[in-house]
Amino acid sequence: MEIHDDGQIFFEGVSAEELASAYGTPLYVYEENRIRQNFRRALAAFRKYYPDTRFFYAIKANNNLAVANILRQEGAGIDAASVNEILLAREIGLGGDDVMFSGNFLSDEDIRQGVESGVIFNLDDLSLLPRVLKYGVPERLSFRVNPGYGQCDIGAFVCNAGPDAKFGLHPDQVLPAYKAAKEAGVKRFGAHMMPGSSIRDPEYFGYVTGLLMDLVGRAGQELGIDFDFIDLGGGLGIPYRHEDAPLDIEAAAERVAQVFQQKIAQYGLKPPRLMMEPARYFVGDAGYIIGRVHAVKESYKRIVGTDIGMNVLARPALYGAYHHIYVNRREQEPRIPLNLCGQLCENTDLWVRDRALPQGTQVGDLVVVENAGAYGYAMSYQYNGRLRPAEALVNGTRHVLVRRAETIADVVGLMNVPDELKK
């Protein structure tokens, strides 16, 4: 995104005004070239220090198939959190070893479909193993390990490792899990963890890699098994606030590789493939929301009402996440504390409070929300009759609609009213 001398906001070579005119607001916008640059930067850093590295894209963060295809073209596999995400991967031509299935608290039907899909099955808990075995012995199996510690730069609610997380094997269960899988006839193994969310400290990635490698290394050494792959999860962070420093991806990759190779040697393991499954790092800062101001209310405070509500972007209302706000053609104006809300009948929809924004902001202005490419549209929902917005993809001066906005016909079409209720 760039702000030109006249104050206009551009996404690559396309203005916010042109996109709003073409597709309406609210509108999610993704910069294709930024996605590709992010992926290439990260992969080059990790392969520099550990050549046998493969990235999988955690499609839960942004399930638009145009976005997923960009990353497939760059060489990414898909990390699927549900059976339906396995099917999304299939829509872009990926399956088998190109898809990692890391569901949690699965139903028997989830397990059956996961096994029959032929993708890499990553079990969140030892209790799932007997249920998986009802459908046959997989040739290869992975376990998700909770390394006992997690970190998150965007709040405890999304820290998915450590004692308060619901995910993964307890450290004491790692050896019994692999022992049980080996005794059941599994021949090939993987290991997986999630280190946390949106972490920007390179040293942390080395530290948490060591925790995982000690747990699975001891299991491999004691049981005489090697690992086809060890997946370090995601967690590569982006700066949401302008004063935050970005992750030094080169330093993170170097530290991870050092620890990874040291632990491989320590436990006498055959060198496995190093895998990771970022999403936010690839798409987070490549996505934006364009909205329009529809009312300015003078009450106890000045409240700017836009068509971007918590139904469009849930993160601020859900766990206090910060997103930077721009106002088209007004960024050079003096700033005053303003409040920004959506159009929902909920006070949590007042999701920007006392933020320094351009004082001349008025009805008709376009506002732009930054860092909305990950966990933006994917977490949107219908409420108060408000519908999910459209999504557009920009490449240079070209733009294309990659998901149309919902209509009321989409909502009504899913419902059935019995004839007796129509009388």
Side-chain angles (χ1 to χ4, degrees):
M1 190 197 87
E2 293 182 351
I3 302 176
H4 288 199
D5 291 342
D6 62 357
Q8 283 201 73
I9 295 173
F10 278 72
F11 307 95
E12 297 197 16
V14 185
S15 72
E17 293 173 359
E18 181 177 347
L19 290 165
S21 176
Y23 307 117
T25 63
L27 174 71
Y28 274 87
V29 180
Y30 308 116
E31 296 179 324
E32 178 177 340
N33 289 305
R34 181 69 175 181
I35 295 171
R36 293 187 189 277
Q37 290 163 7
N38 290 343
F39 183 91
R40 292 171 186 176
R41 182 190 318 112
L43 187 62
F46 276 86
R47 284 187 172 172
K48 176 180 177 180
Y49 297 102
Y50 195 84
D52 190 10
T53 296
R54 175 95 192 271
F55 282 161
F56 285 57
Y57 169 55
I59 198 171
K60 62 180 177 286
N62 185 326
N63 66 8
N64 191 289
L65 294 183
V67 171
N69 265 304
I70 293 168
L71 292 162
R72 175 195 57 78
Q73 287 181 339
E74 295 294 327
I78 291 294
D79 166 53
S82 69
V83 169
N84 283 336
E85 290 187 346
I86 297 175
L87 299 178
L88 286 177
R90 189 175 296 168
E91 287 292 323
I92 64 171
L94 296 181
D97 288 354
D98 291 323
V99 178
M100 167 79 80
F101 178 35
S102 296
N104 64 94
F105 295 89
L106 300 174
S107 70
D108 282 349
E109 182 61 15
D110 292 330
I111 292 171
R112 181 190 67 78
Q113 291 186 57
V115 171
E116 292 177 358
S117 72
V119 302
I120 304 170
F121 208 146
N122 185 40
L123 301 189
D124 185 66
D125 185 50
L126 177 55
S127 68
L128 294 176
L129 181 59
R131 296 167 61 194
V132 168
L133 295 175
K134 289 192 302 184
Y135 302 101
V137 179
E139 180 185 355
R140 176 183 52 198
L141 203 60
S142 175
F143 286 99
R144 179 172 183 165
V145 175
N146 185 330
Y149 185 80
Q151 182 173 308
C152 180
D153 286 357
I154 51 176
F157 286 108
V158 286
C159 191
N160 43 29
D164 292 329
K166 73 170 188 173
F167 305 105
L169 295 173
H170 186 279
D172 292 345
Q173 297 174 324
V174 174
L175 180 60
Y178 284 101
K179 184 174 186 292
K182 182 181 180 181
E183 290 175 348
V186 176
K187 304 296 184 185
R188 300 167 58 197
F189 299 91
H192 173 279
M193 73 167 174
M194 272 301 295
S197 293
S198 198
I199 302 158
R200 293 175 292 108
D201 175 10
E203 287 299 317
Y204 177 74
F205 288 100
Y207 170 73
V208 76
T209 297
L211 294 181
L212 175 67
M213 294 298 290
D214 281 335
L215 292 168
V216 300
R218 282 193 288 267
Q221 187 178 58
E222 185 163 331
L223 298 172
I225 61 174
D226 286 306
F227 295 91
D228 286 5
F229 66 85
I230 295 179
D231 188 332
L232 305 182
L236 301 178
I238 62 173
Y240 281 91
R241 297 179 183 270
H242 285 190
E243 62 267 27
D244 292 341
L247 170 67
D248 185 338
I249 193 70
E250 185 87 9
E254 182 177 17
R255 188 71 186 115
V256 164
Q258 287 173 346
V259 175
F260 198 70
Q261 291 167 323
Q262 174 192 340
K263 296 298 182 180
I264 289 170
Q266 178 180 338
Y267 293 105
L269 302 177
K270 179 182 176 183
R273 167 167 286 179
L274 187 155
M275 291 177 11
M276 293 189 75
E277 49 199 45
R280 191 190 317 268
Y281 189 85
F282 300 153
V283 301
D285 68 0
Y288 304 84
I289 309 170
I290 303 173
R292 191 175 295 277
V293 177
H294 290 289
V296 178
K297 182 176 185 177
E298 299 288 352
S299 184
Y300 294 98
K301 297 181 177 183
R302 183 181 293 181
I303 302 174
V304 177
T306 78
D307 48 18
I308 303 173
M310 67 183 190
N311 60 311
V312 174
L313 181 66
R315 297 181 71 252
L318 189 62
Y319 41 72
Y322 178 91
H323 289 263
H324 196 79
I325 309 293
Y326 301 88
V327 182
N328 191 54
R329 293 186 183 269
R330 295 194 183 277
E331 284 301 300
Q332 302 306 318
E333 292 184 3
R335 294 176 179 266
I336 60 172
L338 293 178
N339 301 269
L340 189 148
C341 72
Q343 299 167 310
L344 301 186
C345 295
E346 297 288 343
N347 209 45
T348 44
D349 196 38
L350 185 60
W351 59 275
V352 175
R353 295 176 182 267
D354 297 319
R355 180 86 62 85
L357 292 170
Q359 67 176 8
T361 301
Q362 62 183 352
V363 172
D365 285 347
L366 294 177
V367 297
V368 172
V369 180
E370 192 176 48
N371 291 322
Y375 308 102
Y377 186 96
M379 295 173 70
S380 65
Y381 55 93
Q382 298 168 355
Y383 184 49
N384 280 185
R386 302 290 176 182
L387 306 175
R388 293 179 181 90
E391 295 172 289
L393 181 68
V394 172
N395 184 331
T397 58
R398 296 183 292 108
H399 55 88
V400 62
L401 189 70
V402 290
R403 178 158 22 203
R404 66 169 175 81
E406 287 182 334
T407 67
I408 195 65
D410 295 323
V411 178
V412 174
L414 293 173
M415 302 182 193
N416 176 55
V417 180
D419 288 341
E420 61 267 23
L421 297 181
K422 299 177 182 178
K423 296 177 182 179

